[in-house]
Amino acid sequence: MKFNIFRPKSNSLHNLLQFTFMVVISGFLSRLFPFWIILPATAIVAFLFNKSAFATGFLAIGFLWLSYAIWLDQQNQQILSRQIALLFQLPEYMDKFIFVITGFMGAFLGGIGAATGRSFRRLFERY
């Protein structure tokens, strides 16, 4: 069965389109549902696109969570990141490291969700 509904001419354009869809759909759904909604969202996008699932999901959701964490931190004048750094007894300059951890956690979840969608699609493909 052919499920690939998006067929751009170049592979890099295909990956960019998949990246954009993952960021937009996951970002929108994250505003309405809990954080774990990125798993089914990236799985559905990876199921439809059928290309480089883990890497694209990893980069898309990592970018989304990193940028959203930085934006939220800017909105509250870096109070939350300083308080978390104090809670874990980190030096003051390490409060930016919290963004890296947040981005990596989101990236890993996005990659796992996308790989799951790609694997599920392979169940329906003929060899």
Side-chain angles (χ1 to χ4, degrees), residues 35-74:
F35 75 94
W36 52 263
I37 197 67
I38 61 167
L39 291 167
T42 54
I44 290 169
V45 172
F47 181 85
L48 294 175
F49 277 86
N50 190 26
K51 293 286 182 189
S52 63
F54 184 84
T56 307
F58 187 89
L59 293 174
I61 304 304
F63 169 76
L64 176 69
W65 277 32
L66 181 67
S67 60
Y68 189 60
I70 291 172
W71 182 75
L72 284 178
D73 197 52
Q74 294 297 323

